[in-house]
């Protein structure tokens, strides 16, 4: 993977009517990387993707691809591919003709066309389906056709809108490896949009977490998972216990407690349920909920900070509802947060 | 959703301009004639129009026929629509096809058939004299009854289709449930079927009512000059009396009634989709 | 059992009322007698054959066909872009456009015909044929817009975006992707428009002149003078024509999906 910047968004502002969907967004994407735009619905990720494709006009700012300013270039001349969430296949055409659609527009025909389309179908494992009509295919097959249709155009950037959300659990796993394989084989720069952090973590080289039309954090999956920069990202990647830090106090949603020891320099701290030891520690809470999850038990404690979630090895003896318990919030096991809501 | 306004206008304007120029402008000009006199704008012509007994009678007859045809269509429509929705799926489709079929046939042809049936030597009169009920032929053609029958046959399919779609949305077991709870058929209709199919009734009713008001062929063929309705009166005013002021007034009455019914229909349709 | 009895007796009565008269004119058109009567006096096809020899019928049939086909095609040429603009674009004044193109369905046809006669034909010297053509186009326009809109709204717009991203122009995307997928809707709109226009009377009432009149108007005029079964014969023929077209459309297109 080269570190050279390939696609750059500079001070990008996008708006529907008067309401801004994305404001002053700066982002650099490297050649050949697999980037995820992650965020809840309405965060601006899809709008950003559509503006890169040229389907959404840019209010202000610049989009530069491979050294060329494409901000005002029309969508059909950008050399950017997009696999739609609905796949957007052409129902009146066969699988072959769907894949051949863009190539024909380039004036390709005859043996060269057939060769390219067949190669594209082979890449996605659909060689035997060329003559089928697309509505007869399963969701997974339709997505492969959409992928092949974009790939044969050899786009500079290939984007995918929620590529796994319409598939069932088994297919999702299969498609995940498939997408990674295709990306490595073709070396295409790939951007995909998702609201599912599991997908982003599993697939991407780099993740951009977006919120309210701005970037919240950029990092590798490991960085996002282990070192969330803000309470928003922490919450998004499964830190269920989040407190603010103020003058040596931990501040929870229900109230505050004095920290039992020195705290790191941070605006807040976040713990996953696994990082909370039960049975000993300086803090007290009452068990309000227990659920058994095979290898572990999950507890919800009522504490002066508010509810605290802890996950404990199931081999340990269980605590009954209503039990008063000691627990710890060890600072060394916490992720320090730079920004709190 | 594409954003380009110029493109959007370029696509939509030809149709809109066409409708405005060939449609809105001449109709507006026609309507203005009813208010225009040498002294300026007045509603005197309307006062004169409604003070003439003939015009009053035609107006009331049109309204009366519109309402009675709508009422009869509703009663028969409910009976037929309920019978159709209880059919098994395969025969239901065929039955709906048969009900819709007449809509595709020229109204001239459909109305013409009633001459054969209702005329002096028509089927009805033949049957009546064969049974010995009457001495001579009974006059049915060129009466309000004939117009009523013709209009009902013309517009009943619209009511039945509207009611079928309303009744199909009826909860599956609503009627049996009401029966089990001890309701008689009258109560079932009044308390269960009617409230749940109200929208279909209003949609169908509007279609039948406006259709009856603005029908021309049926009153012209089956009513003749004896049973004038607003449309036939308009035609007569123009062709016989050359009276464009009256024509303009009748036009406004017809448009106003159609609009009122149409707005009602839209209100109901949008209230339904908002739910 | 009582339910079944109820169902079939109601439906038989309603169908006799709705369709019975149609069978009567079909039977009357095979009469051998000289006046319209039922039951028919003997059997012959002379009235059916006569229809084809009446010169004014031939003329007005051609007029009606030209109006129905030409008017509907014109309405589609105007209506498809308008429907497309309303379904795919943020159209300024969309409500006004929608109102304008649906007007002809709300305003009674007789008024449209009279207004065109009085303000177009007489003062501007526009020919009756052109006025008829305009009136029939306007009359069919609301159906064209409505049916095409419905079929556009059922078609996902991301297909066009996909085509554009594959290198097609916006117009190219319309012709390559949208048009092939709304063909059924357009054909349905055409048939609906054709039948509406062909059977239309009130719009054409005032718009007739020497040699220019639609078939239904011609039939109305003929009926007033001659009381023979030829009108019954012509009515039957036209009815079978309409039913045949609609039946074929349903068979091959699933016409009722669009209406």
């Amino acid at each position: 993977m080269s570190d050279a910047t390939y696609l750059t968004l500079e001070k990008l502002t996008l708006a529907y009517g008067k309401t801004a969907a994305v404001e002053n967004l700066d982002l650099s994407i490297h050649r050949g990387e697999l980037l995820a735009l992650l965020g809840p619905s309405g965060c601006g990720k899809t709008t950003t993707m559509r503006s890169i494709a040229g389907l959404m006009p840019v209010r202000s700012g610049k989009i530069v691809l491979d050294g060329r300013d494409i901000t005002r270039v029309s969508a059909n001349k950008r050399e950017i591919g997009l696999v739609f969430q609905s796949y957007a296949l052409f129902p009146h055409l066969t699988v072959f003709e769907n894949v051949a659609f863009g190539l024909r527009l380039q004036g390709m025909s005859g043996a060269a066309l057939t060769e390219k389309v067949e190669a594209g179908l082979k890449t996605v494992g659909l060689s035997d389906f060329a003559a089928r009509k697309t509505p007869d295919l399963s969701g997974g097959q339709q997505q492969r056709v959409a992928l092949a249709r974009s790939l044969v155009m050899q786009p500079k950037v290939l984007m995918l809108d929620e590529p796994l959300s319409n598939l069932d659990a088994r297919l999702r796993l299969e498609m995940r490896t498939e997408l990674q394989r295709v990306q490595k084989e073709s070396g295409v720069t790939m951007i995909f949009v998702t609201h599912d952090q599991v997908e982003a973590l599993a697939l991407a080289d780099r993740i951009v977490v977006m919120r309210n039309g701005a970037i919240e954090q950029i990092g590798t999956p490991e960085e996002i998972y282990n070192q969330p920069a803000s309470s928003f990202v922490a919450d998004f990647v499964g830190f269920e216990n989040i407190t603010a830090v103020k003058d040596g106090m931990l501040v929870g949603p229900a109230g505050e407690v004095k920290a039992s020891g020195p705290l790191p320099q941070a605006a807040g701290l976040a713990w996953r349920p696994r990082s909370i030891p039960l049975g000993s520690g300086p803090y007290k809470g009452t068990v309000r909920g227990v659920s058994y999850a095979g290898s572990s038990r999950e507890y919800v404690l009522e504490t002066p900070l508010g509810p605290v979630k802890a996950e404990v090895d199931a081999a340990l003896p269980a605590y009954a509802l209503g039990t008063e318990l000691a627990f710890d919030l060890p600072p060394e096991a916490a992720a320090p947060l730079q920004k709190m809501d | 959703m594409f954003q380009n306004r110029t493109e959007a206008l370029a696509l939509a304007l030809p149709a809109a301009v066409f409708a405005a120029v060939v449609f809105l402008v001449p109709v507006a000009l026609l309507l203005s004639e009813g208010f225009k006199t040498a002294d300026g704008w007045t509603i005197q012509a309307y006062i004169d129009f409604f003070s003439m007994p003939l015009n009053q009678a035609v107006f009331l007859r049109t309204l009366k026929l519109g309402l009675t045809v709508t009422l009869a269509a509703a009663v028969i429509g409910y009976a037929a629509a309920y019978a159709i929705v209880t059919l098994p799926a395969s025969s239901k489709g065929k039955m709906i096809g048969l009900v819709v079929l007449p809509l595709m046939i020229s109204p001239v042809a459909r109305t013409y058939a009633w001459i054969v049936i209702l005329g002096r030597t028509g089927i009805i009169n033949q049957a009546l004299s064969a049974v010995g009920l009457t001495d001579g032929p009974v006059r049915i053609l060129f009466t309000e009854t004939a117009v009523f029958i013709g209009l009902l046959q013309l517009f009943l399919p619209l009511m039945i289709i509207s009611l079928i779609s309303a009744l199909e949305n009826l909860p599956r077991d609503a009627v049996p449930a009401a029966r089990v709870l001890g309701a008689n058929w009258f109560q079932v209709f009044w308390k269960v079927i009617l409230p749940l199919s109200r929208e279909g009734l209003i949609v169908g009713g509007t279609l039948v009512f406006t259709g009856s008001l603005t029908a021309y062929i049926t009153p012209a063929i089956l009513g003749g000059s004896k049973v004038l309705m607003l449309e036939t009166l308009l035609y007569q005013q123009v062709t016989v009396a050359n009276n464009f002021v009256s024509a303009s007034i009748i036009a406004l009455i017809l448009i106003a009634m159609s609009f009122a019914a149409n707005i009602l229909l839209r209100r109901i349709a949008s209230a339904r989709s908002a739910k | 059992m009582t339910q079944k009895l109820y169902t079939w007796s109601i439906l038989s009565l309603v169908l006799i009322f709705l369709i019975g008269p149609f069978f009567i004119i079909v039977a009357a058109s095979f009469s051998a007698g000289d006046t319209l009567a039922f039951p028919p006096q003997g059997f012959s096809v002379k009235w059916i054959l006569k229809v084809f020899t009446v010169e004014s019928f031939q003329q007005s049939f051609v007029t009606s066909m030209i109006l129905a086909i030409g008017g509907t095609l014109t309405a589609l040429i105007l209506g498809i872009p308008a429907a497309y603009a309303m379904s795919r674009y943020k159209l300024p004044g969309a409500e006004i456009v929608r109102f304008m193109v649906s007007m002809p369905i709300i305003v009674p046809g007789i008024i449209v015909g009279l207004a065109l006669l009085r303000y177009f034909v007489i003062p501007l010297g526009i020919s009756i044929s052109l006025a008829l053509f305009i009136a029939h186009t306007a009359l069919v326009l609301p159906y064209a817009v409505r049916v095409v809109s419905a079929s556009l709204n059922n078609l996902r717009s991301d297909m066009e975006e996909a085509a554009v991203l594959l290198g097609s122009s916006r117009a190219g995307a319309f012709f390559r992707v949208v048009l092939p997928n709304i063909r059924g809707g357009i054909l349905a709109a055409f048939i609906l428009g054709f039948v509406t226009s062909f059977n239309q009377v009130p719009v054409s009432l005032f718009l007739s002149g020497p040699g220019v009149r639609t078939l239904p108007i011609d039939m109305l005029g003929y009926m007033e003078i001659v009381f023979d079964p030829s009108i019954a014969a012509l009515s039957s023929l036209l009815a079978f024509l309409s039913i045949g077209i609609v039946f074929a459309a349903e068979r091959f297109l699933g016409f009722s999906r669009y209406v």
Side-chain angles (χ1 to χ4, degrees), chain B residues 40-62:
Chain B
W41 301 86
T42 104
I43 57 160
Q44 190 55 44
Y46 278 79
I47 298 170
D48 295 345
F49 178 86
F50 278 106
S51 63
M52 280 175 67
L54 170 75
N55 294 343
Q56 284 173 13
V58 171
F59 176 76
L60 290 176
R61 179 185 299 129
T62 306

Side-chain angles (χ1 to χ4, degrees), chain A residues 50 76 86 89 91-92 105, chain C residues 158-159 161 164 168 176 180-181:
Chain A
R50 290 175 61 82
N76 55 348
S86 67
L89 297 180
H92 62 297
L105 286 171
Chain C
D158 49 18
M159 260 165 37
E161 298 182 336
V164 168
S168 179
R176 288 196 189 88
N181 285 301

